[in-house]
Amino acid sequence: MGIVLARIDNRLLHGIVATQWAGRSGAQRIMIIDDTVANNELTKASMKLARPTGMAISIITEETALNNFKAGKYNDHTVFVLVKKPETLVKLTEIGVKVPELVVGGTVKPAEGEEAVKISQRAFAKPDDIEAYKKLKATGTKIYAQYVPADAVISMDEFLK
């Protein structure tokens, strides 16, 4: 068991994720790994309200996530992980956590003149993101872009050569 699906989404848990992706993941637990959200009680409380019925939720810092996975806390759970940056997932794989599938959803559009690749209508990747995606792919993670499950899957392979 462990992570069954991961998603990059700048909004983390919101309506589309709660109503469409959570059920598709088949997970028992949604895990939001984000230092800012985990340390903001108001934002944390609002995200907990968006939790799909029947699913547990964890909103934790990156350090807590790494420590909990190292300790085997989620070995008997199926987990759907939500993060803003792929580097967080790379850190998990570096401690031996398998991330079988990663869907890149909505990311922040780069500022004018900022170097980034447009992956889909709602997903962009900066050079450091591309490097992180390459590291994840090297561990066997299947990576693709898709905003909602009804959208066509966009392969990330051309960006990860």
Side-chain angles (χ1 to χ4, degrees), residues 6-83:
R7 179 174 170 92
I8 304 288
D9 197 306
N10 65 311
R11 295 189 297 161
L12 298 168
L13 182 58
H14 55 89
I16 290 168
V17 174
T19 62
Q20 297 180 43
W21 287 104
R24 180 189 172 279
S25 75
Q28 300 164 304
R29 173 177 303 278
I30 289 178
M31 180 180 293
I32 298 167
I33 304 173
D34 186 86
D35 291 357
T36 303
V37 173
N39 290 308
N40 182 313
E41 290 306 316
L42 183 60
T43 305
K44 196 171 171 177
S46 68
M47 292 236 176
K48 285 182 178 181
L49 290 174
R51 175 186 60 87
T53 304
M55 290 184 86
I57 188 167
S58 298
I59 303 171
I60 55 180
T61 65
E62 189 176 277
E63 180 181 356
T64 300
L66 292 168
N67 290 334
N68 287 352
F69 274 105
K70 278 184 204 172
K73 186 174 179 179
Y74 308 111
N75 289 351
D76 62 344
H77 289 79
T78 51
V79 182
F80 173 30
V81 173
L82 299 170
V83 297

Side-chain angles (χ1 to χ4, degrees), residues 121-140:
Q121 285 300 106
R122 294 183 174 94
F124 300 86
K126 296 176 185 175
D128 58 333
D129 297 329
I130 295 291
E131 289 309 308
Y133 290 134
K134 286 179 182 179
K135 288 177 184 176
L136 289 166
K137 185 178 177 187
T139 68

Side-chain angles (χ1 to χ4, degrees), residues 84-128:
K84 290 181 180 177
K85 301 291 288 173
E87 290 83 2
T88 304
L89 299 172
V90 170
K91 290 177 185 175
L92 287 172
T93 63
E94 289 172 347
I95 63 164
V97 177
K98 178 78 175 131
V99 180
E101 189 175 341
L102 170 60
V103 59
V104 180
T107 62
V108 176
K109 188 173 182 177
E112 180 94 20
E114 193 173 15
E115 185 181 351
V117 174
K118 184 175 182 179
I119 298 165
S120 71
Q121 285 300 106
R122 294 183 174 94
F124 300 86
K126 296 176 185 175
D128 58 333

